[in-house]
Amino acid sequence: MADPAAADADAWRRQRTEAAEHQQRELDRRRAQESAAARALLADFVERARERGLEPEPLRARSFDGRATYRTPVLGWYLRRNRSVAVGTDGEFYVLGVPASLGARLRGATLTPSDPPLVLGKGGRDGESIDLADALALVLDGS
């Protein structure tokens, strides 16, 4: 005969697993919605920057340890004063931190687009986060 306590424990584990999977699906859904909204802001920014004649510049990546900077093939606009994130002329969002590399010193660093957030620096220290829309407005205003 099956142990009722073991059956209850199995049922509880299945229930917790299902709850965790549901929570993960909801988190993924919210992130996708946020990224879609942020991508729309970035596309609008690129269009407005071109209309205003704001010249993009070659983006430089910084090593994670902060000791080196590397050329990249991407043109765009920096979104933070510390030049840690940028939007490319392609409308993609780039995080400009890369691993230190001799190859990157010689050939330049390769950047991979990231899913854009609606808040830059979210979860960072107080005063270090800014809404993406506000950061884009500052760049358009030349600040």
Side-chain angles (χ1 to χ4, degrees), residues 7-70:
D8 287 346
D10 286 343
W12 182 84
R13 273 192 293 279
R14 276 192 306 278
Q15 181 183 23
R16 296 310 321 142
T17 299
E18 289 171 11
E21 289 170 351
H22 173 73
Q23 190 174 19
Q24 185 63 50
R25 283 190 304 274
E26 283 300 305
L27 180 61
D28 292 344
R29 184 185 61 77
R30 283 194 304 269
R31 280 189 186 143
Q33 285 178 331
E34 180 179 317
S35 286
R39 285 183 196 289
L41 289 173
L42 294 175
D44 181 61
F45 166 82
V46 170
E47 184 178 319
R48 291 173 59 195
R50 286 186 174 138
E51 288 170 359
R52 291 186 184 194
L54 289 178
E55 289 295 321
E57 61 184 287
L59 298 178
R60 295 192 57 88
R62 181 173 300 280
S63 63
F64 292 139
D65 64 11
R67 293 182 181 171
T69 59
Y70 308 109

Side-chain angles (χ1 to χ4, degrees), residues 110-134:
T110 302
L111 295 178
T112 303
S114 299
D115 287 334
L118 284 174
V119 178
L120 300 177
K122 186 176 185 177
R125 295 187 298 231
D126 288 343
E128 290 190 0
S129 64
I130 183 171
D131 288 338
L132 178 61
D134 293 339

